[in-house]
Amino acid sequence: MSDIPDELKYTADHEWARVGGTDGKQTVRVGITDYAQQALGDVVYVSLPEVGTQLAQGAPFGEVESTKSVSDLYAPVAGTVAARNDALDQQPELINSDPYGAGWIVEIELAEGADLSVLIDAATYGTLAV
Amino acid sequence: MSLKRSPLYERHVDLGAKLADFGGWEMPIEYAASGGGVLKEHTAVRETVGVFDVSHLGKATVRGPGARAFVNACLSNDLGRIEPGKAQYTLCCDESGGVVDDLIAYLVSDDEVFLVPNAANTAEVVRRLTAAAPEGVAVTGEHERFGVLAVQGPRSSDVLGRLGLPTDQDYMAYADASFGGRPVRICRTGYTGEHGYELIPGWDDTVALWDAIVDAARELGGMPAALGARDTLRTEMGYPLHGQDLSLDISPLQARSGWAVGWKKDVFWGRDALTAEKAAGPARLLWGIEALDRGIPRAHMTMLAGDGAAIGEVTSGTFSPTRKVGIGLALIATDVGAGEGDEVAIDVRGRRRAVRVVKPPFVESHVR
């Protein structure tokens, strides 16, 4: 059984989004779900975008590789990469051990007019993660 | 068509295995839910011991007067080089020199040879042998008459020893033993590069043997290991996988498996084509490649020269859990003149990533 925290938003691509922010700037922290990390198996390499990269909603922005396969990461919202989780360069396994915490992937500063309504809630995601 | 299941299917489900289709068989990729996962299972085999269910592997017996001579006139390697009680890696080629399958031949006697082909190719190997068999020699497919377990790693003899099973066979030699009063054939072989054994119990005896072996392995710090780890382990050794690094389109010479061809034999399938290819020199050769940055080679990626020209193709690739670097096997055109230590590149989804050409294995072999 996979863990799907209620307080997060999700995408059909098995990513989670934590909407937050300070100083009037809205940011979204993004990672892959517990279901996704279980399906991938041991993550051995994560390719991350540079800070400042502009992302269109739904655009691929990086890759997560296991021993066997490669999966694209898709921007859940439009915006600019405000932070990347550099720890994943040396410890990609954080995505397996703590997908919602230390295994976060990027933070995106929302573009003006970015649409959050496409994100789905935990209950809806739960019907996809089976 | 529904997938076939190993006699250990229920054990895999109980261990929370992730299951997938391997040559028409529903087999475990990894046991992450019960404390394993590809990396842990891989490490267990390198450092202690791992227990694999490889019951999807084929089994066939060739029996009758002159069975040994008959098989020797079909398969590539020379059964004259070994004695009864020994096993041999060999190839089943077609007349054009392509590889129908690679397999292990157990020489029982002049009148009996036991074969272990790959799951997906067993029916074809049996079909070709049956069609060629002389009067009095019978080829019998026995895919679901036997299970196959692989016990691999530095503690593998301790595991078998705890069960009272023989362990001092030479590399590629086998012993016919019994466990719980039931017969089991035990060969010093494997596909991991570690000291190990493959055990062939009767189909219905497989569960009891698995349970005893897994218990003993766990007591020694080992664990069940699945086919995901078997693939990373064999890739670290540079062992070709049929269907990727060796196939109807990739000859034994190209895959550097010419050592498994009995060149001095008068007859074997594909002899004329292979002899001609040997004389002319193969047009491409299988090399190891090692990533020089963070790229991970994957099968079917294009190999690139310094000027960006395509020079070949990756046939297998993964992240090496032991070396912590991307590794792979790749066919490189011979006329490029690539050699050990050369820096070339792979096309990783449109990005150029540097790799070094190397000679496998990527990790020291401990099979002997």
Side-chain angles (χ1 to χ4, degrees):
Chain A
M1 285 302 94
S2 78
D3 179 23
I4 306 174
D6 281 337
E7 71 275 19
L8 300 177
K9 297 291 189 184
Y10 298 87
T11 73
D13 296 316
H14 305 287
E15 290 166 16
W16 56 263
R18 185 190 300 274
V19 182
T22 50
D23 306 336
K25 284 180 183 166
Q26 205 169 22
T27 60
V28 173
R29 180 172 275 205
V30 177
I32 68 168
T33 65
D34 184 38
Y35 174 84
Q37 71 79 17
Q38 285 181 31
L40 274 172
D42 294 322
V43 174
V44 295
Y45 177 50
V46 187
S47 127
L48 299 171
E50 296 304 319
V51 169
T53 306
Q54 307 269 345
L55 302 174
Q57 189 167 35
F61 72 83
E63 294 168 343
V64 177
E65 297 202 40
S66 67
T67 52
K68 199 70 193 168
S69 67
V70 187
S71 301
D72 279 319
L73 296 164
Y74 298 98
V77 293
T80 304
V81 176
R84 66 203 286 276
N85 186 358
D86 291 326
L88 296 177
D89 285 343
Q90 293 307 315
Q91 296 173 275
E93 65 274 16
L94 291 171
I95 286 185
N96 297 113
S97 59
D98 193 6
Y100 298 112
W104 68 279
I105 294 172
V106 291
E107 273 179 16
I108 299 172
E109 187 179 318
L110 286 190
E112 207 165 312
D115 184 8
L116 290 175
S117 69
V118 295
L119 300 176
I120 58 181
D121 63 20
T124 308
Y125 178 67
T127 65
L128 303 175
V130 287
Chain B
M1 202 175 75
S2 68
L3 296 175
K4 291 180 174 162
R5 288 174 173 176
S6 135
L8 295 166
Y9 175 79
E10 298 296 337
R11 290 292 185 272
H12 302 319
V13 171
D14 290 347
L15 285 164
K18 199 181 290 174
L19 297 159
D21 177 1
F22 283 82
W25 290 67
E26 189 173 16
M27 297 297 290
I29 298 177
E30 61 172 1
Y31 300 107
S34 49
V38 172
L39 297 181
K40 284 188 184 132
E41 294 163 23
H42 180 109
T43 304
V45 171
R46 288 274 179 258
E47 295 182 355
T48 52
V49 61
V51 185
F52 299 83
D53 174 21
V54 285
S55 297
H56 62 308
L57 292 176
K59 309 98 195 172
T61 294
V62 182
R63 191 182 283 122
R68 176 190 194 169
F70 162 62
V71 171
N72 207 32
C74 301
L75 305 184
S76 68
N77 211 335
D78 189 351
L79 280 174
R81 285 182 195 163
I82 64 168
E83 302 146 18
K86 295 275 173 68
Q88 184 180 65
Y89 176 80
T90 187
L91 305 166
C92 175
C93 292
D94 67 4
E95 285 308 324
S96 67
V99 182
V100 174
D101 198 19
D102 62 342
L103 59 168
I104 303 285
Y106 289 68
L107 181 58
V108 180
S109 71
D110 284 349
D111 301 330
E112 185 175 337
V113 181
F114 181 74
L115 302 174
V116 179
N118 283 292
N121 303 325
T122 303
E124 180 61 15
V125 170
V126 168
R127 188 191 70 74
R128 285 175 185 254
L129 287 169
T130 302
E135 193 72 29
V137 172
V139 181
T140 312
E142 300 179 312
H143 213 142
E144 291 172 69
R145 279 194 61 194
F146 300 98
V148 186
L149 305 183
V151 183
Q152 302 281 306
R155 303 301 301 275
S156 55
S157 11
D158 298 329
V159 169
L160 267 58
R162 285 187 176 210
L163 273 57
L165 296 171
T167 58
D168 58 1
Q169 304 89 309
D170 289 338
Y171 181 60
M172 294 305 282
Y174 69 88
D176 284 328
S178 73
F179 178 74
R182 305 290 300 164
V184 55
R185 179 165 284 171
I186 303 173
C187 188
R188 263 287 306 288
T189 185
Y191 197 44
T192 64
E194 296 302 324
H195 182 105
Y197 303 84
E198 290 190 357
L199 293 82
I200 305 176
W203 186 266
D204 294 334
D205 303 326
T206 306
V207 172
L209 183 63
W210 165 270
D211 286 348
I213 288 179
V214 168
D215 283 350
R218 286 199 191 281
E219 284 169 19
L220 294 165
M223 62 174 73
L227 300 180
R230 192 163 184 259
D231 192 57
T232 53
L233 289 157
R234 72 94 191 167
T235 305
E236 285 187 340
M237 301 317 298
Y239 294 158
L241 171 65
H242 189 270
Q244 289 187 201
D245 317 294
L246 199 59
S247 71
L248 282 174
D249 298 321
I250 306 172
S251 77
L253 287 159
Q254 295 170 15
R256 297 181 193 269
S257 300
W259 63 270
V261 176
W263 296 104
K264 292 177 182 161
K265 296 198 299 181
D266 293 331
V267 57
F268 59 91
W269 292 337
R271 181 179 183 275
D272 292 349
L274 290 171
T275 303
E277 188 187 13
K278 193 182 186 196
R284 51 188 189 168
L285 270 178
L286 195 66
W287 288 94
I289 52 170
E290 196 175 294
L292 293 171
D293 58 25
R294 306 292 301 273
I296 299 177
R298 304 283 182 185
H300 309 302
M301 284 180 178
T302 302
M303 299 290 307
L304 303 170
D307 61 2
I311 56 171
E313 185 179 280
V314 178
T315 52
S316 282
T318 190
F319 173 83
S320 163
T322 306
R323 301 273 314 280
K324 314 281 185 216
V325 65
I327 60 169
L329 299 174
L331 283 167
I332 300 178
T334 314
D335 59 15
V336 174
E340 208 173 349
D342 288 358
E343 187 178 322
V344 293
I346 50 175
D347 179 344
V348 180
R349 298 174 290 280
R351 294 183 300 270
R352 187 187 165 86
R353 299 287 191 210
V355 297
R356 182 185 292 123
V357 175
V358 299
K359 278 226 171 101
F362 298 94
V363 171
E364 193 187 345
S365 169
H366 298 109
V367 295
R368 290 174 193 276

